């Protein structure tokens, strides 16, 4: 019995990489964590990764049952996540996120970093489908190893992106924050649009 399906591992890993987008999350992470102590930033990178992995794991194990029980459709999940991201993006664009507090340290790691930026609707649906389609033990192992490997990449990306802050200084951080706000607002609007089109197609 084959205990590891390399092709399936590669497929799930690449799909999650495209959806969760470690390079794209870097400027947003830098913007949300700027002004904090290095130790706090590293802690937030770890917390965000852990939260995302936890959410993905829960939905991978019993995601479809959770959505069915709550009568929540995937398009509804996408619209809700998009609205949440849009609120965060507006804060970044207007500068309201420039004065972090201890409470916001925790919130930023959990929301929006952990969810819905990392563990967003796209990643959740991908994992639910991958787990459902994995028939053998080897395929299940391959899917879960790909999920863990993807989160390790996310953590390393955020952890070492802190070096960029030291290079770009305060002025660069402000610029990155504004650009990240624009990027995040575009992601949010696209996610909301995808959810609305999902409703129109009758997926809700």
């Amino acid at each position: 019995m084959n205990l590891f399906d390399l092709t399936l591992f590669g497929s799930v890993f690449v799909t999650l990489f495209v959806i969760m987008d470690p390079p794209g999350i870097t400027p947003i992470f830098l913007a949300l964590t700027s002004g904090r102590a290095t130790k706090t930033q590293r802690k937030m990178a770890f917390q965000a990764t852990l939260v995302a992995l936890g959410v993905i794991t829960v939905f991978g194990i019993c995601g479809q049952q959770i959505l069915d029980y709550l009568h929540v459709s995937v398009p509804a999940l996408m619209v809700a996540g998009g609205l949440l991201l849009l609120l965060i993006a507006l804060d970044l664009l207007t500068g309201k996120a420039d004065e972090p507090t201890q409470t916001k340290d925790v919130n930023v790691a959990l929301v929006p970093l952990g969810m819905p930026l990392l563990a967003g609707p796209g990643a959740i649906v991908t994992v639910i489908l991958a787990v459902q389609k994995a028939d053998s033990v080897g395929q299940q192992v391959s899917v879960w190893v790909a999920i863990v490997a993807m989160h390790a990449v996310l953590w390393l990306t955020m952890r070492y992106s802190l070096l960029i802050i030291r290079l770009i200084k305060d002025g660069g951080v402000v610029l990155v924050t504004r650009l990240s706000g624009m990027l995040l607002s575009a992601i949010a609007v696209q996610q909301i649009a995808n959810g609305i089109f999902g409703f129109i197609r009758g997926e809700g």
Side-chain angles (χ1 to χ4, degrees):
M1 182 174 62
N2 187 8
L3 291 178
F4 194 80
D5 188 329
L6 188 60
T7 302
L8 181 59
F9 167 83
S11 174
V12 174
F13 181 85
V14 169
T15 302
L16 287 177
F17 189 93
V18 171
I19 293 173
M20 301 178 93
D21 190 19
I25 205 70
T26 298
I28 297 172
F29 174 75
L30 292 176
L32 291 172
T33 60
S34 64
R36 295 164 172 86
T38 301
K39 183 178 179 181
T40 301
Q41 292 171 320
R42 290 173 180 171
K43 180 181 177 183
M44 290 172 66
F46 181 73
Q47 283 180 330
T49 305
L50 204 60
V51 168
L53 180 59
V55 171
I56 290 292
T57 299
V58 169
F59 276 95
I61 295 173
C62 50
Q64 194 60 57
Q65 291 86 340
I66 292 174
L67 294 179
D68 290 343
Y69 177 77
L70 296 175
H71 303 291
V72 173
S73 64
V74 172
L77 194 65
M78 297 182 76
V79 172
L83 289 173
L84 179 59
L85 291 182
L86 190 57
L87 290 175
I88 303 297
L90 292 175
D91 276 350
L92 291 176
L93 284 169
T94 58
K96 292 180 180 178
D98 289 346
E99 297 296 332
T101 63
Q102 190 60 34
T103 302
K104 290 184 77 174
D105 283 353
V106 178
N107 288 343
V108 167
L110 303 180
V111 179
L113 282 175
M115 183 178 182
L117 273 177
L118 299 182
I124 289 173
V125 172
T126 297
V127 169
I128 290 175
L129 294 177
V131 172
Q132 287 179 347
K133 291 178 181 178
D135 299 323
S136 66
V137 174
Q139 289 182 333
Q140 286 285 343
V141 169
S142 304
V143 169
W144 287 106
V145 170
I147 291 169
V148 172
M150 184 64 245
H151 284 78
V153 171
L154 284 168
W155 174 71
L156 289 171
T157 302
M158 291 188 291
R159 169 75 166 72
Y160 290 101
S161 67
L162 299 176
L163 296 174
I164 299 174
I165 290 181
R166 299 175 190 171
L167 296 175
I168 62 178
K169 307 298 182 184
D170 291 342
V173 168
V174 172
L175 178 61
V176 168
T177 300
R178 300 298 182 265
L179 290 175
S180 298
M182 287 290 295
L183 174 64
L184 195 55
S185 62
I187 293 172
V189 170
Q190 184 63 58
Q191 191 163 296
I192 293 171
N194 290 342
I196 292 173
F197 283 124
F199 279 119
I200 294 173
R201 289 193 297 267
E203 296 174 8

